[in-house]
Amino acid sequence: MKDKIRDILSRLGKLPVAVDSLADDSDLYTAGLSSFASVQLMLGLEDGFDIEFPDNLLNRRSFASIDAIAATVEQIIATRKVA
Amino acid sequence: MDMQVSFLDRLFDAGLLIDTGVDGLYGRSGEFEDVIAAFERLIDRTGGGDGAEAIRFPPGMNRHYFEKSGYMKSFPQLAGTIHSFCGCELDHVSLLKTMDEGGDWTTGQEATDIVLTPAACYPLYPTIARRGAVKDEGQLYDLQSYCFRHEPSKDPARQQLFRMREYVFMGQESDVMAFRQKWMERGPEMMRSVGLPVEIDVANDPFFGRAGKLLVNSQRDQNLKFELLIPITSVEKPTACMSFNYHQDQFGLKWGLQFKSGAPVHTACVGFGLERIALALFHTHGLDVTIWPDDVRKVLWG
């Protein structure tokens, strides 16, 4: 999953640094993730994982690091399975 | 809504606002304008010693700058563009025929180079960027303009064409934050001096759509926007009469606003909604300014 997230991040995150140079727990906002790029990233994740972010997860914390994104995506997938 | 309609009707009846047949588009009486002029003098007395450069732009801006600003990404529903007839004589004949028949004559209108200004500070950033490097100690500007937002409403405090007075500071992050903090203290003092009850709360801009939710939450999480609220047509939902906005280095990067070192400037703006403040005064003290409390009249008119 994290490889796929890294792929989406490198295409849509518009980061000034290479995604390969970031650790899974690196702060993406410190690395240069802008608000508008995080919107593109969210749409890319929805497309890539066939999910829809609920309103309560549309916040900065959900996209703060690769670990945080993975946890958010897993949470959405798990909720979907229950439903 | 009823309270909004009845306040609007009372303003019409008193002749303070003048109905044009379009919600949110009103004429203003001399008395209404006199209140706005008096409040602007209070703003001048409060901020005039800070050494701002005053600039007045008309209520339209360069379409190219508007496009670059990213406004359509965030607020497409509020924007107003200016279109004109650019056809030949034959097109004119066809236009008049369509109008005569009651058809939609606007489809042939073409976009001009002008877009209605959505906030007084929008034309400022590209203008200052063209002048070259920003001083290390920062630069301060004093702006006022009519602004347009397409949101027709019966609430007199939500007009489509209204005036915004702004101070904009560009500089180092700490100086920009200090500028905003200073006005978050001055704003409530000013409002209290004219007898208006105020509160300040964290706020967000009306970003469009579901993706906008992420921007709203992000803006609130970072405390980028505060509003000074005064009850006008509702006590539960008081109206934002001032806003205090920190843009981080977003505009510095977007417009190439830099220090000599090449580092992007941070920016913040403080905006006064002049019609809203006048309406708050009329709502609080009554529609006849001659019977407003003496201390309020003294602050406004000396």
Side-chain angles (χ1 to χ4, degrees):
Chain A
M1 175 183 282
K2 285 184 183 167
D3 286 345
K4 195 167 169 183
I5 291 172
R6 282 177 175 274
D7 175 51
I8 295 169
L9 184 61
S10 65
R11 280 190 292 115
L12 302 172
K14 291 187 185 156
L15 295 177
V17 297
V19 172
D20 289 345
S21 70
L22 297 171
D24 284 351
D25 62 354
S26 296
D27 186 320
L28 296 180
Y29 297 109
T30 309
L33 182 66
S34 72
S35 299
F36 279 110
S38 67
V39 168
Q40 296 303 316
L41 177 61
M42 175 198 76
L43 297 171
L45 290 164
E46 290 194 337
D47 200 34
F49 290 98
D50 192 23
I51 53 173
E52 188 170 318
F53 279 77
D55 286 358
N56 65 332
L57 292 177
L58 289 176
N59 56 52
R60 280 170 68 80
R61 288 178 297 283
S62 300
F63 306 93
S65 65
I66 291 166
D67 280 340
I69 294 171
T72 307
V73 171
E74 274 167 13
Q75 188 186 337
I76 296 169
I77 292 172
T79 315
R80 191 175 55 189
K81 276 178 186 154
V82 172
Chain B
M1 178 52 88
D2 284 342
M3 239 177 108
Q4 294 169 359
V5 175
S6 76
F7 187 45
L8 182 61
D9 284 341
R10 284 170 55 219
L11 291 161
F12 286 160
D13 290 345
L16 289 164
L17 291 184
I18 297 147
D19 193 359
T20 67
V22 176
D23 288 342
L25 181 72
Y26 309 121
R28 288 101 165 110
S29 72
E31 202 175 9
F32 191 92
E33 288 302 288
D34 192 31
V35 170
I36 287 196
F39 195 86
E40 283 213 84
R41 288 194 296 273
L42 173 59
I43 297 173
D44 292 338
R45 290 200 297 276
T46 309
D50 296 345
E53 176 186 341
I55 303 181
R56 295 292 180 265
F57 291 102
M61 67 179 286
N62 182 328
R63 174 155 68 102
H64 169 68
Y65 291 152
F66 172 83
E67 288 163 0
K68 192 175 169 190
S69 76
Y71 193 80
M72 290 305 280
K73 280 189 195 166
S74 303
F75 316 108
Q77 78 281 22
L78 299 178
T81 50
I82 298 188
H83 288 62
S84 283
F85 173 74
C86 304
C88 62
E89 284 182 44
L90 219 62
D91 297 324
H92 185 215
V93 171
S94 146
L95 168 88
L96 293 180
K97 186 166 171 280
T98 309
M99 283 183 97
D100 267 352
E101 292 166 352
D104 184 2
W105 60 274
T106 61
T107 52
Q109 298 284 97
E110 286 179 34
T112 65
D113 290 332
I114 301 175
V115 171
L116 291 166
T117 305
C121 61
Y122 267 65
L124 179 73
Y125 306 104
T127 302
I128 302 307
R130 279 205 313 269
R131 289 187 184 173
V134 171
K135 289 182 208 151
D136 286 344
E137 65 270 29
Q139 293 171 197
L140 179 65
Y141 299 93
D142 164 352
L143 306 166
Q144 197 252 51
S145 171
Y146 260 98
C147 299
F148 175 83
R149 296 196 186 159
H150 182 242
E151 39 183 1
S153 164
K154 294 274 186 206
D155 180 355
R158 187 168 295 285
Q159 300 189 12
Q160 298 200 66
L161 274 159
F162 58 94
R163 272 160 294 180
M164 190 186 291
R165 175 79 182 264
E166 280 195 61
Y167 283 107
V168 178
F169 186 74
M170 343 184 142
Q172 314 280 355
E173 181 176 358
S174 56
D175 295 338
V176 168
M177 293 303 279
F179 158 81
R180 185 172 75 154
Q181 187 55 39
K182 180 172 63 189
W183 278 103
M184 283 175 68
E185 288 158 20
R186 283 174 171 177
E189 275 172 35
M190 289 171 71
M191 298 304 173
R192 278 194 282 269
S193 79
V194 290
L196 295 176
V198 298
E199 56 179 287
I200 284 193
D201 202 358
V202 67
N204 60 266
D205 290 307
F207 292 106
F208 184 74
R210 205 169 63 84
K213 280 244 164 60
L214 177 55
L215 297 174
V216 164
N217 292 336
S218 172
Q219 192 180 30
R220 295 183 83 95
D221 278 354
Q222 297 177 89
N223 288 335
L224 297 181
K225 185 182 191 78
F226 289 92
E227 287 176 340
L228 179 149
L229 305 161
I230 305 175
I232 299 181
T233 49
S234 161
V235 178
E236 298 81 45
K237 279 190 165 182
T239 300
C241 293
M242 282 185 77
S243 69
F244 312 87
N245 308 285
Y246 173 43
H247 317 123
Q248 299 165 310
D249 57 1
Q250 202 182 321
F251 292 163
L253 291 167
K254 181 184 295 291
W255 296 108
L257 281 162
Q258 302 173 338
F259 297 110
K260 231 180 219 151
S261 67
V265 301
H266 285 236
T267 59
C269 67
V270 171
F272 296 84
L274 295 176
E275 278 78 5
R276 286 181 168 185
I277 291 167
L279 290 168
L281 286 163
F282 282 113
H283 175 75
T284 307
H285 302 309
L287 300 187
D288 178 359
V289 296
T290 61
I291 56 163
W292 285 7
D294 285 343
D295 52 341
V296 172
R297 289 184 53 82
K298 197 159 187 305
V299 171
L300 290 173
W301 288 286

